[in-house]
Amino acid sequence: MANPSILILAGDGIGPEVMAEVKKIISWYGDKRGLVFDVSEDLVGGAAYDVHGKPLADETMARAQEVDAVLLGAVGGPKYDNLDFSVKPERGLLRLRKEMDLFSNLRPAQCFDALADFSSLKKDVVAGLDIMIVRELTSGVYFGMPRGIFEENGERVGINTQRYTESEIERVARSAFELAKRRGNKVCSMEKANVMESGILWREVVQRVHDEEYPEVELSHMYADNGAMQLVRWPKQFDVIVTDNLFGDILSDCAAMLTGSLGMLPSASLGAPMENGRPKAMYEPVHGSAPDIAGQGKANPIACILSFAMALRYSFDQGDEATRLEKAIEKVLADGVRTADLMGPEGGTPVSTVEMGAKIIEALDASL
Ligand code: NAD
């Protein structure tokens, strides 16, 4: 059988710096665990614009459709700020999400014990936290028609339309239930069924998918505004949260920040299963290209490395190896190793991007 394939799109700014550490970890899995990946690399964002005059070449898009997983670094930077909207670096990312139809966005909020003091919440509220927000990514109010700014009765009116079809709700609900089966077996669905018809349909369809296909998973429903309160009050009550594009955008940022630094946050975007049964998938850190620290060796590579751990778990069925990698990161943090973004008020000497990567590989070696 062919090796599983990965397309690396490192992008701009700190993207290539953090991705360099991921590449070393991919090689480690080949050398030490016999998990050999067929890795190819290409350009995205400003780096692609510099060469092709657009932020994603058609050949790159075609390659992304063929591989088992895309790993993306970050795109953007001040050099590209004045480009026309149609060729801005972020358009490359949006094209990938759209053409691969990545409808299910997974945003974990996981608190490593060593960083529990970093949260703005009390330590006992966040220590050991491990929840997953599943956000619908390709429909809802960001895409619904009609949209625009129109003239009405002598004044302007801004319109966006919240719109969900049953099949769009069904597929993201399935994705959440499937995830829950591999985790704590609990899904909480969030909408505003009290004031929105799209919320009423959302609730009905999620309940039906549950009753017909996943009766063994525990399902609850919550209004999204209450969900926001509960997330900061006692987040450990949740396992998987599934919600729409708009609420998911806000709730996932809120949940992510429970755990501290942007340099720690991975994400996955999944689509429909391909012929080999694997979902179309793109994995990327939540952070951007961080132009303020790019080229200085200061970036924290953990968000990007954790994104690869998600690829191991959700694309390659290597949950144990994903856990090995997460535990290696936990060990390094517990040992007090910190990049600059993780330095607390007590200070200390931060390690570089490369040093953090090397420490994680040392911990992986020690795990054997
Ligand atoms: P950003 O995430 O790049 O940076 C925000 C702050 O967090 C900066 O101070 C940065 O130094 C810090 N930071 C981010 N990642 C870090 C890491 N791994 N280690 C240590 N510190 C880290 O957001 P921004 O400054 O608003 O945007 C910069 C550029 O990135 C813009 O061009 C923006 O459009 C783009 N962007 C891209 C993505 C993406 O590629 N997915 C996401 C967000 C922003």
Side-chain angles (χ1 to χ4, degrees), residues 121-122 155 315 318 327 331 347:
L121 299 187
K122 290 196 192 94
E155 64 173 344
S315 281
Q318 295 287 341
K327 287 217 172 319
K331 162 86 172 58

Side-chain angles (χ1 to χ4, degrees), residues 51-300:
V51 175
H52 303 294
K54 50 183 173 178
L56 190 76
D58 295 343
E59 308 79 65
T60 316
M61 187 63 243
R63 180 90 190 110
Q65 298 278 21
E66 285 162 12
V67 292
D68 294 317
V70 175
L71 293 186
L72 189 129
V75 298
K79 179 178 165 196
Y80 308 103
D81 280 351
N82 296 324
L83 287 181
D84 184 70
F85 186 68
S86 63
V87 288
K88 274 199 184 290
E90 292 75 8
R91 301 297 294 178
L93 190 53
L94 294 178
R95 182 176 177 197
L96 282 161
R97 286 183 188 155
K98 182 160 187 286
E99 294 193 20
M100 291 168 76
D101 199 11
L102 303 173
F103 58 83
S104 177
N105 183 220
L106 276 48
R107 293 268 305 262
Q110 199 177 3
C111 186
F112 291 94
D113 281 350
L115 299 182
D117 284 330
F118 252 76
S119 175
S120 54
L121 299 187
K122 290 196 192 94
K123 194 170 175 169
D124 69 314
V125 176
V126 292
L129 179 73
D130 179 10
I131 62 180
M132 177 76 81
I133 304 227
V134 179
R135 165 189 172 194
E136 199 290 327
L137 198 59
T138 51
S139 186
V141 74
Y142 293 158
F143 296 93
M145 298 300 271
R147 64 181 295 166
I149 299 176
F150 304 98
E151 199 66 36
E152 207 178 272
N153 300 328
E155 64 173 344
R156 291 184 306 156
V157 50
I159 296 181
N160 291 90
T161 304
Q162 168 83 331
R163 182 179 188 280
Y164 271 107
T165 63
E166 285 188 280
S167 54
E168 286 168 341
I169 303 169
E170 278 166 11
R171 63 184 189 174
V172 73
R174 274 190 200 106
S175 155
F177 288 124
E178 286 293 336
L179 260 172
K181 286 203 310 191
R182 300 174 184 208
R183 298 172 41 96
N185 212 36
K186 236 168 54 168
V187 171
C188 180
S189 169
M190 295 189 186
E191 29 53 22
K192 293 269 296 172
N194 48 345
V195 285
M196 295 170 77
E197 285 76 5
S198 59
I200 295 174
L201 185 70
W202 182 281
R203 187 176 281 221
E204 268 178 34
V205 173
V206 172
Q207 186 67 49
R208 173 165 53 72
V209 172
H210 169 268
D211 296 349
E212 291 176 1
E213 300 173 39
Y214 301 94
E216 72 283 12
V217 179
E218 190 185 317
L219 171 65
S220 59
H221 302 274
M222 196 177 271
Y223 298 138
D225 48 346
N226 182 28
M229 284 196 283
Q230 296 299 329
L231 265 177
V232 287
R233 189 184 70 82
W234 189 243
K236 286 188 236 178
Q237 68 186 282
F238 298 113
D239 174 26
V240 174
I241 292 172
V242 62
T243 187
D244 72 14
N245 203 341
L246 173 63
F247 296 140
D249 194 358
I250 298 164
L251 292 171
S252 64
D253 270 13
C254 171
M257 272 302 113
L258 299 175
T259 68
S261 166
L262 202 49
M264 295 291 300
L265 300 172
S267 79
S269 301
L270 307 180
M274 300 184 284
E275 264 175 31
N276 60 12
R278 295 186 171 123
K280 286 238 166 110
M282 181 157 77
Y283 299 88
E284 56 183 310
V286 169
H287 63 71
S289 58
D292 54 336
I293 56 165
Q296 301 172 31
K298 285 185 186 165
N300 183 353

